[in-house]
Amino acid sequence: MPNKKNVGTGDVDVAQLAADTDTGGRNPGPVVSKLILLVALAWSLFQLWIASPLPFALGVGVVNDTQSRAVHLGFAVFLAFMAYPAFAGSPRHKVPIVDWVLALAGAFCATYLFFFYRELATRPGQPTDVDLYVAIAGIAILLEATRRALGLPMVIVAVVFLGYTFAGPYMPELIAHKGASLARAMSHYWLTTEGVFGVALGVSSGFIFLFVLFGSLLDKAGAGNYFIKSAFALLGHMRGGPAKAAVVSSAATGIISGSSIANVVTTGTFTIPLMKRVGYRGDQAGAVEVSSSVNGQIMPPVMGAAAFLMVEYVGIPYTEVMKHAFLPAVISYIALVYIVHLEALKAGLQGLPRRTTSTFAQRLLAFGITVSGLLVLAGAVYWGIGWLKVVLPGAAIYVVGVGLLAAYGFLLWVGSRQPELKLDDPNAPVFELPETGPTLKSGLHYLLSVVVLIWCLMVEQLSPALSAFWATMFMIFVILTQRPLIALLRGRGELGAAAALGWKDLVSGLEAGARNMIGIGVATAAAGIIVGTVSLTGIGLVMTEVVEILSGGNLMLMLVLVAFISLVLGMGLPTTANYIVVSTLMAPVVVELGAQAGLLVPLIAVHLFVFYFGLMADVTPPVGLASFAAAAISRADPIRTGVTAFYYSMRTAILPFLFIFNTQLLLIGITGPLHLALTVGSAVVAMLVFAAATQGYFIVKTRWWETVALLLVTFTLFRPGFWWDMVYPPYEERPASELMTLIEQAPAGERKRVWVEGVNLDGKEIRKGVLLPLGEPGPARERLRRLGLTVMTLGDEVQVGAVAFGSQAEKLGLEQGFRITTIEMPAQRPAKEWMYLPALLLLGVVIAAQRARLKREPAPRPAAA
């Protein structure tokens, strides 16, 4: 399939667009290419080394967090200048002298903290002239590397914040501050961990690299091809099957990819032509791919690498981030599948032909046997390993390792009995779907590495970095052994050639992982300038005041303003930088103003709120590069593709407003299996109903009153408490004097609603609500101490005595001297889920009306293939 496609104004090279955006578009001569390869390999090996237990076990090569961040950024900046040309017209076949100078100077400035760490530690806040020269040059070179790798939007944002740092005294009164000297600012940004080398770069170095490397190795091993073929085998025969398969395959590859545009180019070159073949318009086909690829950024476990930043910014374990983000991501994907189904119904589209036919009963039986078999196997493995740990506490790890190798060998044997997977040409005159059974069996061994990752995270409860390390090491073992073993099992011989190809795949995967990290590395470093500006100037409080003035204290208007500003701030930024910017600037606004208005929600809900709207910028014209890539493949207008993608993504845009008011959608406050089933079921139904309402088609084309009814059903199912609170007050007030008793009696994991008031450090009168996460049961003072909070009881008055630096209490905005005035306890009232009944009754009325109309209206004619 040719890469160049006409896109309204001219030709766009899809492969070149992907390379320019994600890994650099330069392809110099063999000598320089080998140098780039060696540097990329060194970066990957360095990251694996510092993540492994070996440095501490051997006492060799141990580096602290600050030094590892410096080396991490040094590699990223060097490769950015080597891989990315300065301009569109710059030579791609060689590296100019200027780029060599910038690459070496940038690497030196970045690793300055590594080489002179001890000297800098002896003079904090007292930079020498050399320190300042290095800092100034480092920031300038970093911004140029960012421009090359990410484009101008990120650079413009960073420069605006730099300018704000120095121009503070000359700003309008509302946003003015005293400013900072050049020495103080450069020291803050470059020589401390408050700016460029802050938390964001630390997360990039400690967590993100390993997960991106894991995804690259998984893709090089053949898992990406396997996911695409499996999705088409399962769904391609349905109405609009290629579009449904595109959604599922993009979800699968989005889990291992941190890039929307890479996802579009990887799966879109195969899925978009097939969607057009069954009757979707070019902009529709591109929009489906864009929407599903961007949604990969909200899908755990990676979430475009934002999940690891949330761990640091929200202060909760990684497994908790995955749990809270799971349901919204899944129902968003389910709704997208339903949207493409409705589009197929409206246009009378069909699926692709199968190689073999089977009855519905046969397919249902096979599906049931497969699912039940997997559940039995998962249960046997989980309980079996648990039993082994009890019986053989010291040797269990070796037994499990042998079992893992045996499972790998067995699944390879099963796969070797199937035909080899190859992506067919989607533009071929005849295209038949792959057979389901053989396709699914051919790559089951790829899933073992994902199982290792999830097992280490969820069961062994290892750190994300160590979990990714062991999963990556197993993936390296798979890459090196799968080709020789399959050649042996198929009886082909040529084991030496197969082993050589395995090593080539490994080197290619290690290089791809490093090159995929260039943009993320410089993005997190450049975003550190924004974070540093916030801590240096206090602009976060200014943003709160601005939004408070514009919203006039109206809660919904405040949330709409935050959503809009997050969307604007996210334009043109990669996922990681996007999240850093919106979480730094806008999350505190929602926390502070929401608390004053009585909106008390866990911090993770606020961060997911701003993250979702920051991501909406990826599909929004005129900036969304994913839309341009999809339009290049589909030969459609990129602006129209972006508009259609935004329309399809409306389901993602309503979710944050819903889970900010109903945190059960984030699986918070679930009391049991029945409650979980009700929450999940109602959320899925509500999202499907919303998709039908916005598409103007349910069973037949909807009328205006049916659309209104469907939207009302959606709102009620998503937020039943809105109506229930009008009849039954949700909380009853208790005096502050009962605080310690109520905290001691609270069950594990409860969040206590308290109201505080007082004067903050800026001299402003504050009255707001706070949700105190109490964690495990224990004495009241111990539970508060784990939050970093100490209180003093003086008669009937309870006062905040101390707030630990960096604690959860500090993140909640509590300050020493605040008085706790009231405690809100859940009121005894009927369950709000009773509101589901009238909502479902109204849905039944709409279904009955449309079914009656279906009998009178002719069905749409099937579109020509």
Side-chain angles (χ1 to χ4, degrees), residues 122 367 666:
T122 62
F367 178 76
L666 303 179

Side-chain angles (χ1 to χ4, degrees), residues 215-290:
S216 297
L217 292 172
L218 196 58
D219 183 57
K220 292 296 179 182
N225 181 22
Y226 172 68
F227 290 152
I228 295 172
K229 295 284 280 191
S230 297
F232 271 84
L234 288 167
L235 303 172
H237 65 284
M238 299 179 177
R239 277 186 179 272
K244 294 173 183 175
V247 175
V248 174
S249 59
S250 291
T253 54
I255 289 174
I256 63 174
S257 168
S259 166
S260 300
I261 188 171
N263 203 339
V264 167
V265 174
T266 301
T267 60
T269 51
F270 185 70
T271 60
I272 290 174
L274 291 178
M275 282 188 265
K276 292 179 67 178
R277 168 175 289 195
V278 297
Y280 287 95
R281 297 194 315 266
D283 64 296
Q284 289 178 323
V288 169
E289 184 59 49
V290 169

Side-chain angles (χ1 to χ4, degrees), residues 484-727:
L485 288 176
I486 289 175
L488 184 66
L489 291 168
R490 291 183 185 272
R492 286 200 303 246
E494 300 180 350
L495 298 184
L501 282 175
W503 279 100
K504 185 178 179 181
D505 289 342
L506 174 60
V507 171
S508 179
L510 292 173
E511 181 192 16
R515 293 185 71 132
N516 288 339
M517 274 300 300
I518 297 172
I520 297 175
V522 297
T524 50
I529 295 174
I530 297 157
V531 176
T533 301
V534 172
S535 60
L536 189 61
T537 64
I539 190 178
L541 296 174
V542 173
M543 293 297 295
T544 302
E545 291 179 8
V546 170
V547 173
E548 184 177 16
I549 292 170
L550 293 176
S551 64
N554 183 285
L555 181 60
M556 281 305 300
L557 183 55
M558 179 271 290
L559 291 174
V560 170
L561 282 171
V562 168
F564 177 74
I565 296 172
S566 297
L567 194 151
V568 172
L569 288 173
M571 284 189 175
L573 303 187
T575 304
T576 42
N578 188 327
Y579 171 67
I580 295 167
V581 172
V582 297
S583 63
T584 302
L585 294 178
M586 303 315 300
V589 175
V590 179
V591 170
E592 189 62 32
L593 297 184
Q596 294 176 22
L599 177 66
L600 309 186
V601 293
L603 200 54
I604 182 66
V606 176
H607 279 252
L608 286 173
F609 180 91
V610 296
F611 177 56
Y612 269 52
F613 280 104
L615 279 181
M616 289 299 289
D618 281 0
V619 300
T620 307
V623 183
L625 280 176
S627 297
F628 279 86
I633 299 169
S634 65
R635 303 189 184 191
D637 179 75
I639 300 299
R640 187 178 181 187
T641 301
V643 171
T644 307
F646 186 83
Y647 183 58
Y648 288 165
S649 299
M650 284 175 60
R651 75 207 185 285
T652 307
I654 70 157
L655 274 172
F657 282 101
L658 296 166
F659 64 59
I660 202 81
F661 288 105
N662 181 13
T663 53
Q664 289 174 1
L665 296 174
L666 303 179
L667 302 183
I668 296 172
I670 302 297
T671 56
L674 178 60
H675 193 190
L676 175 63
L678 274 174
T679 301
V680 174
S682 63
V684 171
V685 172
M687 187 54 82
L688 296 180
V689 171
F690 177 77
T694 54
Q695 290 298 302
Y697 198 96
F698 193 18
I699 299 171
V700 294
K701 187 175 181 181
T702 55
R703 293 174 176 171
W704 71 267
W705 69 267
E706 291 171 334
T707 299
V708 172
L710 291 175
L711 291 174
L712 186 59
V713 170
T714 300
F715 181 76
T716 304
L717 291 177
F718 268 130
R719 196 186 167 196
F722 179 82
W723 311 107
W724 213 237
D725 293 349
M726 295 180 180
V727 182

